[in-house]
Every structure is written in C-alpha cells, then in structure tokens.
C-alpha cells in the first residue's frame, strides 16, 4: 500500500491531492497498490476547509510516522527541511519533490542519501512543470552525447516578455501576470532569473554528472528590459527571452538574450516552456510543454509516483 505524507497544501500540493483522488482507481490499477493519504503538513490548519482529519502543523507527524512510505514535498522550504528529507531517504522512504530551491541547492547530498537505502528520489516537477524532462535524461544520454542545453524555463518571465511584445511596459505586464496568477506578490525569483538558474542547474547536474554550486552560476533576469528593447528586437526579426544555458565544458548561465523570433524558443508565448538538447549523434532534440500552473506541476508529481510504483 502506498501511504503518503504530503508536505504542503498550497497550489501544487493541493492540485496533487486532487489529481490523485480524481484518478485513484486508475492509479491503483497502474501501481497494483492501494493509495492513501496519511498526513498533510500545513502552517495553519484553520486556513483549510477540507481534509481536517489529515492536517498537522508538526512535521514529526510525517517524518517520524512509520506508516508513511512516500513523502511528497511541495513546501518551498530549503535548509529548514533538507536534513529531514535526507534522513527519510536514508531510512528507505521514497520522496517526490516539486521544490526546485531544495533540489538545486541540496541535490548532491540528497542523491547520496539514496545510495545505501536504494529509496527513490524523484523531482520532475521541480524543473519544467508538465515538461517530461528529467524522465528523459537517460534516453537523451543514450541517444548521443549532449553537447549543450538551452531553454526557456520560466513561464512567468516568458508571459511578461510576451505581453511586452504587444507594447506593454514591464510594470504593466508584471501586474497582469500577478492578476492572472503567473507571478507571485514578490516575483523576484522569476524575473531575476533565480527560478531559471535552479532549473538549469538541476538539469545540467544530472545530464553532465557535475554538481554546480549556485553561487558560481552567472544569473541575470528581465527586470531591466524596456518596451523599446523589445520593439528594436522585433523590428530586426528577433525577440528577447530569458535563457538558461549549460554545456559539457562546464559553462552555465542565465540571462536575457535576443534570439530569432521564429525559432522554437523565440516563438514561445505566455507561460510556455521549452528546452533544446544539442547532441552529437541525434542532432537537436526538443521538449516543449506548459510550464506554469498548479495542475501542470502536480501532473509531474503524479508521473513520478507512477515511475516509482508502476
């Protein structure tokens, strides 16, 4: 039986709960096991009007609960929860995470934690929303040596830049992004390139078998992009996108770049994400999908569950 401890109950974690409950019969058939939520960790139980009997504010109710054999984590915490996750993995508890900040900073130690116990650590939702990226890493490596990866990996920034292509100022586009739920009240992680840095860091670390230190990655954002910058680029047949880049020689960065507006990355609109893999033997391989949204990311969490137990 798959007994789940859910860390968080916000947009992503709540959508994961809903997807599992909505598709429980299919998931149980795929995994060959019954699925049950045991506990859900929240900051304030009074905030929620459902699952009252499952809610807890004490993380020990999950991490010290011998009934739980799968932890699904979507808290946004980093150092505060890393040690507990590592301990759970070492004890043989499987972990699925959508927390890119946690995975990016602690990937090496989390992977090491699985070595002895052979517990599964999955984090598809931490990189590209609904893009089936990490699950294809081994296939990409088998298809041919990957020389470099280039991607638009932040739906919020891409939405803002798409709005600016229509003539809006950065501030106007950001306000619309916040109203539509693409951007948080504090959008700095998205617009300053931090979110993209974490995603390209995770992807490159796995693909090139190298663990990069976040502080060593050059990171730029879109905060200083003006509408006249977009207009000038468009007049020349180009556009501006927030690009994450890494190659097999160890070069890795995030910055706003002017690219051909008719290229795959240049043609992305709204919250779309895409990543290109330049390989020696298979040429250019592309993966594209919606990148922003609770259910899109929750879909990846469910896919990770199937990968572990299916």
């Amino acid at each position: 039986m798959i007994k789940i401890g859910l860390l968080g109950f916000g947009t992503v974690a709540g959508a994961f709960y809903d997807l599992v409950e909505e598709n429980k019969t299919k998931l149980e058939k795929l995994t060959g096991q019954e699925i049950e939520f045991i506990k859900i960790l929240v900051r304030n139980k009074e905030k929620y009007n459902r699952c009252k009997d499952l809610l807890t504010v004490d993380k020990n109710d999950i991490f010290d609960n011998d009934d739980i054999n799968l932890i699904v984590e979507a808290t946004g915490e980093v150092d505060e929860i890393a040690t507990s996750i590592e301990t759970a993995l070492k004890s043989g508890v499987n972990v699925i995470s959508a927390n890119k900040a946690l995975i990016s900073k602690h990937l090496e130690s989390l992977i090491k934690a699985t070595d002895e116990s052979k517990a599964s650590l999955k984090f598809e939702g931490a990189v590209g929303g609904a893009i089936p990226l990490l699950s294809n890493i081994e296939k990409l490596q088998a298809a041919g040596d990957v020389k470099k990866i280039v991607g638009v990996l932040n739906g919020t920034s891409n939405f803002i830049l798409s709005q600016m292509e229509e003539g809006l100022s950065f501030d106007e586009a950001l306000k619309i992004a916040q109203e539509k739920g693409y951007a948080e009240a504090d959008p700095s992680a998205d617009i300053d390139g931090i979110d993209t840095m974490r995603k390209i860091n995770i992807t490159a670390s796995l693909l090139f078998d190298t663990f990069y230190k976040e502080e060593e990655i050059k990171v730029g954002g879109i905060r200083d992009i003006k509408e006249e910058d977009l207009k000038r680029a468009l007049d020349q047949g180009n556009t501006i996108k927030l690009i994450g880049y890494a190659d097999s020689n160890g070069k890795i960065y995030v910055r706003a770049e002017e690219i051909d507006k008719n290229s795959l990355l240049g043609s992305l609109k709204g919250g779309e994400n895409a990543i290109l893999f330049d390989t020696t033997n298979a040429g250019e391989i592309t993966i594209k999908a919606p990148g922003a949204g609770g259910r899109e990311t929750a879909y990846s969490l469910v896919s990770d569950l199937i990968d572990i137990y299916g």
Side-chain angles (χ1 to χ4, degrees):
M1 186 171 186
I2 304 171
K3 297 183 178 181
I4 303 173
L6 183 57
L7 304 181
F9 208 30
T11 301
V12 172
F16 170 76
Y17 177 89
D18 291 338
L19 282 176
V20 170
E21 290 298 317
E22 291 166 11
N23 298 281
K24 181 174 282 189
T25 300
K26 293 179 181 178
L27 290 171
E28 290 181 339
K29 184 176 181 179
L30 278 170
T31 61
Q33 300 186 60
E34 295 181 14
I35 301 174
E36 180 183 359
F37 285 91
I38 304 300
K39 285 291 180 182
I40 301 173
L41 180 69
V42 296
R43 295 182 185 275
N44 179 7
K45 291 195 289 187
E46 302 305 316
K47 180 181 176 180
Y48 302 93
N49 296 317
R50 58 174 181 156
C51 305
K52 291 286 190 179
D53 56 328
L54 300 180
L55 301 182
T56 180
V57 295
D58 185 355
K59 70 176 184 178
N60 293 322
D61 287 340
I62 291 180
F63 288 109
D64 293 339
N65 191 327
D66 292 335
D67 286 338
I68 292 172
N69 52 28
L70 173 64
I71 291 175
V72 178
E73 189 274 330
T75 65
E77 295 183 3
V78 184
D79 298 325
E80 310 94 312
I81 207 164
T83 300
S84 296
I85 294 292
E86 288 177 26
T87 301
L89 288 166
K90 288 177 181 177
S91 68
V93 177
N94 296 324
V95 174
I96 298 171
S97 177
N99 186 345
K100 62 188 75 71
L102 169 71
I103 300 299
S104 176
K105 185 173 182 180
H106 294 281
L107 180 59
E108 183 174 11
S109 60
L110 291 173
I111 288 177
K112 286 181 178 179
T114 68
D115 289 344
E116 291 184 14
S117 68
K118 304 304 179 184
S120 291
L121 170 65
K122 299 287 185 179
F123 42 89
E124 188 76 72
V127 179
I131 297 179
L133 177 58
L134 301 183
S135 60
N136 282 296
I137 287 291
E138 290 184 4
K139 296 177 184 177
L140 288 164
Q141 290 172 320
D145 293 334
V146 178
K147 296 181 290 185
K148 66 179 179 180
I149 51 180
V150 187
V152 170
L153 295 170
N154 183 264
T156 300
S157 290
N158 200 60
F159 178 87
I160 290 171
L161 291 171
S162 294
Q163 293 294 306
M164 292 178 70
E165 285 184 2
E166 303 299 322
L168 297 183
S169 69
F170 175 85
D171 290 339
E172 290 170 335
L174 173 59
K175 183 178 180 180
I176 293 174
Q178 290 171 323
E179 290 172 349
K180 289 183 175 291
Y182 280 105
E184 302 290 343
D186 178 4
S188 55
D190 293 318
I191 64 177
D192 292 332
I194 304 302
D195 178 79
T196 298
M197 178 274 290
R198 290 165 175 160
K199 292 174 180 176
I200 201 70
N201 183 24
I202 294 167
T203 306
S205 294
L206 295 175
L207 195 57
F208 300 128
D209 295 319
T210 301
F211 294 105
Y212 304 88
K213 295 184 182 298
E214 291 185 341
E215 59 271 20
E216 295 176 354
I217 301 173
K218 293 182 179 180
V219 181
I222 65 168
R223 192 185 292 268
D224 295 328
I225 302 296
K226 307 297 184 186
E227 51 265 42
E228 52 264 32
D229 298 324
L230 264 299
K231 185 179 185 305
R232 176 188 51 77
L234 291 169
D235 287 344
Q236 296 178 357
N238 297 324
T239 188
I240 298 174
K241 297 293 182 184
L242 183 63
I243 298 294
Y245 175 96
D247 63 33
S248 57
N249 295 318
K251 187 176 183 179
I252 182 169
Y253 64 80
V254 175
R255 67 188 182 206
E257 291 187 353
E258 187 172 321
I259 61 175
D260 183 348
K261 70 177 181 181
N262 294 316
S263 65
L264 176 70
L265 296 182
S267 65
L268 295 174
K269 299 296 182 184
E272 290 180 322
N273 285 186
I275 189 164
L276 310 180
F277 298 84
D278 184 12
T279 73
T280 300
N281 299 318
E284 190 172 86
I285 298 173
T286 303
I287 302 176
K288 174 184 174 182
R295 287 183 78 88
E296 289 89 346
T297 303
Y299 171 83
S300 290
L301 296 178
V302 173
S303 295
D304 282 342
L305 186 152
I306 295 171
D307 282 346
I308 294 174
Y309 297 101

